[in-house]
Amino acid sequence: MTDKKSSLATLTLAAVGIVYGDIGTSPLYTLKTIFDPDHGLALNEANLLGVVSLIFWGLTIVVSLKYVTLVLRADNRGEGGIMALMALALNSVSKRSGWHFPLLVLGVLGATMFYGDSVVTPAISVLSAIEGLEVATPALEHYVVPLTIVVLVSLYSVQRHGTAGIGRFFGPVMVLWFAALAIMGIVNIVERPDILRALNPLHAVHFMIDNGFVAFVGLGAVVLAFTGAEALYADMGHFGKRPIRMAWFAVAFPALSLNYFGQGALLLHAPEAISNPFFQQLGSWSVYPLVVLATMATVIASQATISGTFSMTKQAIALGLLPRMRIMHTSEHQIGQIYIPAVNWLQLIVVLIAVIGFGSSDALAGAYGIAVSATMLATTILTFFVIRYRWHLPLPLCIAATGFFLVIDVLLFSACTLKLFHGGWMPLLLGTALFTIMLTWRTGRQLVFQNLEKHAIPLEDFLSSLFVAPPARVPGTAVFLRGESDGVPHAMLHNLSHNKVLHERVVFLTVHILEEPYVAAAEQVRITDLGHQCFQVNVDYGFKDEPDIPAILDRCADYGLRFEMMETSFFIARQTVISAPQQGMAPWREHLFVAMSRNARAAADYYQIPPNRVIELGTQVEI
């Protein structure tokens, strides 16, 4: 019992550090953005009570009820996140269903918006922390952007070393951060306890009615208080539901609520503090310590987002939505600790462009809201299909459970779209580019498979005819990587044509990526004896499993098929895709797919096959 409690406490502390870094740093900029003069919302008592009430009840409904209570239940074998939810929804309907492709598109759209969020989060979080220097000394204003760039470049530069070493400090630092939020809130609430009237949701209702369109515009900034809600679902596989729920209700939710009420109380007492209410909660003496603590908290929040991007990319590659990339493991003990160089440096470039181009957290707020609200909307719709078609709950209950949240998500997203020309275009532009890349890669792969299938020679028929007059057999084992829709591997045909020999043992290896996160080790390997010392080995991986062909071949010994690596050669056909006019996709998409194919990581490298055992043969495929 003690060990279980200790484990739960450890996981809860880790969840505080990693899961709630993003939403935990929202108080830095939310109220300041809502009452930005450009929004036209007057700072008076009624509006202040209404806004604080909206934030509190939004945290209660959107985060506590929707994500913590409902969405966390929609786990894909213990895994969460938009990709896992999409796979779960796709498995809930037939591939022939009219809903299959729209759900795929919706999941991809949600994933691309997550990428947009992952760019804006480091930019706005670190900027807002460094902006505290302006409160202490206005003369330091010109140093905010340069210092932000230094922090971000340093953060991305250390990614290749992994976070295993510093990760243990994330939890304690974020606990200190949340404690500071709570204490500052309490101090200001004691000064003006009448702010607690905002606990009454009628203040939020009156605010929306009295201010009309201006209040609707303000919703686009209120959504900033909920940024990071998606992270608690995405990180479910790392910590489990219970630690995430405990971390929210015991630490994050109380601290955030107290701080928002505290900032509201401060503004009731001193409206001039609206220039940056967060850093003025305790007076001038606290600004520099708060800047240091806020910078640490925002770096942790950014780190969680960067790690999430690596994880999302790895899942997208496995699901066939992105080409293979170089993936480095930064920890020998934790399989989830990965580093993808291409993603890291591309993301840094876009983040720096955002920091330099927008220049302040206020200007970035519009870009932030639209990415967050779009992902939240996609999650709600996918959740409906899971609880209706996978859990088979009654339709009225499904509509009631998700319809309420859908209305809120649509309102928030609609309000954020008003910021389209004030920064909202950036995540949409990035999302559109990634959406095009993902669907182009998926469609191109399908066209390649169709072409190969059309010209494929059935394997069983070929082997039957081959052994009527068998070629000479040479010592050793030949492993031919064979696609799911392939017949006889092209590499085998090349070998027979040029060398006129066949190894004494031949293995055809096919890797299947299933739409579920993990496949149990005992269920990953299936072997079929084709006769004449020829075998078909089928390998089933989940989209979060680590492809490792040598490890799979070692496991084949349990099924009576033993491999000696030094006597085994891997024959792989390196496909060179060429564009065929008036076939498949539009010409520009074909050229895009061809370019991605040529830069994709080699299959041998991706499957961790020793390079000295690989014989690669070229083949051309038209799309």
Side-chain angles (χ1 to χ4, degrees):
M1 182 67 72
T2 303
D3 290 341
K4 290 184 178 179
K5 287 183 179 179
S6 176
S7 176
L8 179 61
T10 302
L11 285 172
T12 302
L13 178 63
V16 170
I18 295 174
V19 176
Y20 295 110
D22 191 355
I23 196 170
T25 53
S26 297
L28 281 165
Y29 44 77
T30 300
L31 275 178
K32 181 179 69 168
T33 303
I34 293 173
F35 287 103
D36 188 297
D38 292 340
H39 295 162
L41 186 63
L43 178 58
N44 55 47
E45 183 175 324
N47 287 346
L48 197 54
L49 289 172
V51 165
V52 174
S53 184
L54 266 178
I55 292 173
F56 174 75
W57 287 104
L59 289 172
T60 302
I61 294 171
V62 174
V63 184
S64 299
L65 291 182
K66 176 185 171 181
Y67 280 95
V68 177
T69 304
L70 175 63
V71 177
L72 277 185
R73 296 176 184 271
D75 65 292
N76 193 338
R77 294 200 176 187
E79 289 294 325
I82 191 74
M83 282 289 186
L85 186 63
M86 178 189 72
L88 201 60
L90 291 175
N91 276 330
S92 303
V93 298
S94 166
K95 288 193 174 182
R96 297 180 180 179
S97 167
W99 286 111
H100 194 273
F101 185 71
L103 288 176
L104 173 71
V105 170
L106 184 63
V108 172
L109 278 172
T112 59
M113 286 297 102
F114 177 85
Y115 279 104
D117 183 12
S118 70
V119 165
V120 183
T121 294
I124 192 172
S125 298
V126 178
L127 256 178
S128 59
I130 304 295
E131 281 171 351
L133 294 174
E134 299 176 19
V135 177
T137 309
L140 295 176
E141 178 182 354
H142 299 296
Y143 296 96
V144 169
V145 170
L147 284 173
T148 300
I149 291 173
V150 169
V151 171
L152 289 170
V153 171
S154 302
L155 175 63
Y156 280 87
S157 296
V158 301
Q159 291 304 308
R160 67 181 184 275
H161 301 298
T163 59
I166 60 173
R168 66 174 67 95
F169 299 109
F170 286 2
V173 170
M174 290 308 297
V175 167
L176 180 62
W177 169 256
F178 282 116
L181 291 184
I183 291 169
M184 289 190 295
I186 292 170
V187 167
N188 286 284
I189 291 170
V190 169
E191 186 75 21
R192 288 295 300 266
D194 49 326
I195 189 63
L196 294 177
R197 288 181 291 160
L199 287 169
N200 185 345
L202 289 178
H203 284 287
V205 175
H206 290 314
F207 168 77
M208 295 299 297
I209 294 173
D210 295 342
N211 289 281
F213 183 73
V214 174
F216 181 67
V217 173
L219 277 180
V222 171
V223 74
L224 297 177
F226 318 138
T227 58
E230 195 72 28
L232 69 90
Y233 178 48
D235 286 317
M236 178 169 56
H238 296 130
F239 304 102
K241 300 175 187 177
R242 195 176 175 197
I244 289 176
R245 285 173 173 152
M246 286 192 66
W248 173 250
F249 287 114
V251 180
F253 186 33
L256 287 169
S257 300
L258 285 170
N259 196 259
Y260 283 120
F261 277 103
Q263 288 190 48
L266 171 68
L267 294 175
L268 284 177
H269 177 69
E272 66 276 7
I274 192 57
S275 60
N276 201 322
F278 179 85
F279 286 102
Q280 299 186 52
Q281 290 182 86
L282 296 180
S284 58
W285 67 268
S286 66
V287 174
Y288 288 116
L290 280 177
V291 168
V292 173
L293 183 58
T295 302
M296 293 170 65
T298 54
V299 165
I300 290 171
S302 302
Q303 177 59 62
T305 306
I306 295 167
S307 300
T309 306
F310 294 156
S311 179
M312 176 80 76
T313 302
K314 182 174 179 289
Q315 293 176 42
I317 292 170
L319 289 170
L321 295 170
L322 285 174
R324 292 186 299 266
M325 301 181 195
R326 185 186 179 202
I327 300 175
M328 298 170 59
H329 296 271
T330 59
S331 172
E332 296 179 0
H333 308 290
Q334 293 178 292
I335 196 170
Q337 293 278 341
I338 60 173
Y339 168 64
I340 306 178
V343 173
N344 185 70
W345 298 118
L346 283 173
Q347 188 178 14
L348 173 61
I349 291 170
V350 179
V351 169
L352 293 182
I353 290 173
V355 169
I356 297 169
F358 288 91
S360 71
S361 59
D362 290 340
L364 270 168
Y368 207 10
I370 201 165
V372 172
S373 57
T375 307
M376 289 166 57
L377 181 60
T379 296
T380 300
I381 297 173
L382 291 172
T383 301
F384 168 81
F385 281 89
V386 172
I387 65 176
R388 172 59 181 157
Y389 296 106
R390 190 175 184 86
W391 298 354
H392 305 294
L393 296 180
L395 182 60
L397 179 61
C398 296
I399 293 174
T402 58
F404 174 62
F405 299 123
L406 184 64
V407 170
I408 295 174
D409 291 338
V410 169
L411 278 173
L412 293 175
F413 179 72
S414 301
C416 290
T417 56
L418 299 174
K419 306 277 187 67
L420 187 61
F421 299 106
H422 299 279
W425 57 268
M426 191 191 77
L428 287 182
L429 179 63
L430 180 62
T432 300
L434 286 169
F435 180 78
T436 303
I437 288 171
M438 286 183 173
L439 284 195
T440 296
W441 182 255
R442 181 179 181 273
T443 304
R445 287 179 76 246
Q446 288 179 334
L447 292 173
V448 167
F449 289 151
Q450 289 170 11
N451 185 292
L452 292 172
E453 194 172 27
K454 186 166 56 177
H455 298 94
I457 303 171
L459 181 61
E460 290 78 6
D461 295 343
F462 176 80
L463 291 178
S464 297
S465 63
L466 177 67
F467 288 108
V468 170
R473 308 293 288 261
V474 296
T477 299
V479 177
F480 294 94
L481 261 66
R482 178 172 174 253
E484 296 181 34
S485 58
D486 291 358
V488 181
H490 287 270
M492 183 179 186
L493 294 175
H494 276 284
N495 187 50
L496 286 170
S497 174
H498 293 286
N499 299 322
K500 315 296 184 186
V501 296
L502 194 67
H503 286 71
E504 63 183 1
R505 188 169 60 168
V506 178
V507 174
F508 302 100
L509 182 66
T510 304
V511 177
H512 306 266
I513 304 295
L514 308 183
E515 289 180 342
E516 53 189 68
Y518 297 105
V519 174
E523 301 172 4
Q524 286 183 342
V525 181
R526 291 172 287 121
I527 299 175
T528 303
D529 190 339
L530 303 176
H532 304 283
Q533 284 295 295
C534 296
F535 302 88
Q536 170 66 46
V537 176
N538 289 295
V539 182
D540 292 336
Y541 281 128
F543 59 81
K544 293 199 74 174
D545 279 321
E546 187 62 31
D548 188 343
I549 295 304
I552 285 293
L553 296 186
D554 286 341
R555 203 174 302 152
C556 287
D558 298 336
Y559 302 88
L561 191 61
R562 191 175 300 277
F563 290 86
E564 294 294 338
M565 194 57 66
M566 296 307 297
E567 299 176 3
T568 301
S569 299
F570 294 84
F571 289 80
I572 300 175
R574 175 74 172 181
Q575 296 171 349
T576 301
V577 182
I578 58 175
S579 177
Q582 298 180 346
Q583 288 187 25
M585 299 181 289
W588 67 269
R589 290 185 69 195
E590 288 187 356
H591 292 306
L592 174 62
F593 178 73
V594 169
M596 287 192 290
S597 298
R598 288 174 180 167
N599 289 283
R601 186 181 174 194
D605 189 20
Y606 183 72
Y607 291 124
Q608 303 187 50
I609 300 173
N612 62 325
R613 309 308 306 165
V614 175
I615 300 171
E616 199 168 71
L617 302 168
T619 181
Q620 286 190 340
V621 183
E622 287 187 348
I623 59 168

